[in-house]
Amino acid sequence: MENHRSRLAALSNQVRHLLDNCALFAQPCLLCAGDGGPDGICAACRADLATLPAAHCPICADAGPTGLPCPHCRRRRPAFDTLNAPFVYAWPLSALIHAFKYGHRLDMAHALRALFARHAPEGPARPDLVVPVPLFAARLAERGFNQSLELARAFAVRMAAPLDDTLCVRVRNTPPQARLERAARTRNVADVFVVERAVTGLSVAIVDDVATSGATLDALAAALKKQGARRVDAWVLARVFYSKT
Ligand SMILES: [Zn+2]
Ligand SMILES: [Zn+2]
């Protein structure tokens, strides 16, 4: 009897321990402050986020009502093979990403990683390597973390592919892309990335938080292809969508 009672006590301790751990992982939803569940953003808020419209350019994922390559990609094909994004860069996701990056809200990393891992589209190929878009060293020091690396970690787990955050280096800083016109964006990032080793024959996935014109991803993809990458596909959490409708 004594034995039975002590076994029960031990069991209830284990259950309590489990429940305590679950409570540690559950956090209020970042958007509605309700129960965020283990992902930190509740299912209802996730369902409200603006997903990428089905009709989009199959290369750069920008607006294209027919699903055919957009005028920019027809004029000059980017170095990446495809750009993939689950969401449009729109409120409230835009506000979350902004707070995460510029408000030093590393506590949001878990929720954004979970969101990305859960909703990243399948994409055309399983990558051999997952590479985050690197930050310039001084900017990394100022921000304390690379938001792209945080997302790339989750993506690598989802794809069961190795992550390499030392392969690519950003060799100079660039003015924020958001303030520049499209042509200036392309010039702004030319030769900004160095790929340190050959990646001959590999399929590489590059990961960033947001794509605006795609110029940054284009520049990194070009540097990877110069080092022998067979294909480069880009994944971002949100894409700025220039809808013409
Ligand atoms: Zn919510
Ligand atoms: Zn396009």
Side-chain angles (χ1 to χ4, degrees):
M1 190 64 190
E2 201 49 44
N3 235 343
H4 177 69
R5 215 173 274 147
S6 66
R7 270 209 311 275
L8 269 185
L11 188 66
S12 89
N13 274 343
Q14 274 175 28
V15 170
R16 200 170 309 130
H17 184 67
L18 261 176
L19 288 175
D20 285 351
N21 277 345
C22 286
L24 270 182
F25 290 118
Q27 51 177 311
C29 171
L30 283 176
L31 291 169
C32 71
D35 180 1
D39 283 7
I41 298 178
C42 75
C45 286
R46 273 193 273 116
D48 273 351
L49 297 177
T51 52
L52 200 79
H56 58 257
C57 169
I59 301 166
C60 75
D62 199 359
T66 58
L68 293 171
C70 71
H72 297 294
C73 290
R74 281 205 302 272
R75 205 173 309 130
R76 189 191 145 276
R77 220 187 146 96
F80 53 76
D81 292 82
T82 62
L83 197 162
N84 308 274
F87 300 109
V88 170
Y89 189 69
W91 193 87
L93 183 57
S94 52
L96 286 188
I97 294 174
H98 195 274
F100 174 49
K101 272 165 82 165
Y102 302 110
H104 299 275
R105 293 285 308 272
L106 190 56
D107 59 307
M108 288 180 165
H110 168 72
L112 292 178
R113 276 196 304 256
L115 190 65
F116 190 47
R118 189 188 278 271
H119 294 277
E122 274 307 317
R126 189 183 160 275
D128 297 310
L129 211 55
V130 176
V131 170
V133 172
L135 279 183
F136 186 59
R139 190 167 287 176
L140 179 61
E142 174 198 327
R143 192 171 294 168
F145 65 97
N146 177 0
Q147 74 282 355
S148 307
L149 173 58
E150 294 303 319
L151 296 171
R153 280 190 220 282
F155 187 73
V157 170
R158 147 98 190 258
M159 291 289 176
L163 173 82
D164 192 334
D165 65 335
T166 61
L167 176 67
C168 301
V169 178
R170 195 173 193 128
V171 289
R172 65 185 169 79
N173 211 356
T174 47
Q177 293 285 78
R179 294 193 206 136
L180 302 172
E181 292 299 317
R182 183 181 278 263
R185 281 178 181 157
T186 306
R187 284 196 303 277
N188 188 32
V189 290
D191 301 321
V192 76
F193 297 109
V194 167
V195 178
E196 306 257 48
R197 298 181 297 281
V199 283
T200 313
L202 296 186
S203 167
V204 183
I206 54 179
V207 177
D208 208 352
D209 54 339
V210 177
T212 307
S213 68
T216 303
L217 296 162
D218 186 11
L220 180 57
L224 284 159
K225 287 206 166 163
K226 219 189 274 178
Q227 282 284 32
R230 174 172 53 84
R231 69 175 294 146
V232 178
D233 297 284
W235 270 267
V236 296
L237 178 59
R239 200 217 191 290
V240 175
F241 201 70
Y242 297 100
S243 178
K244 275 96 182 167
T245 54

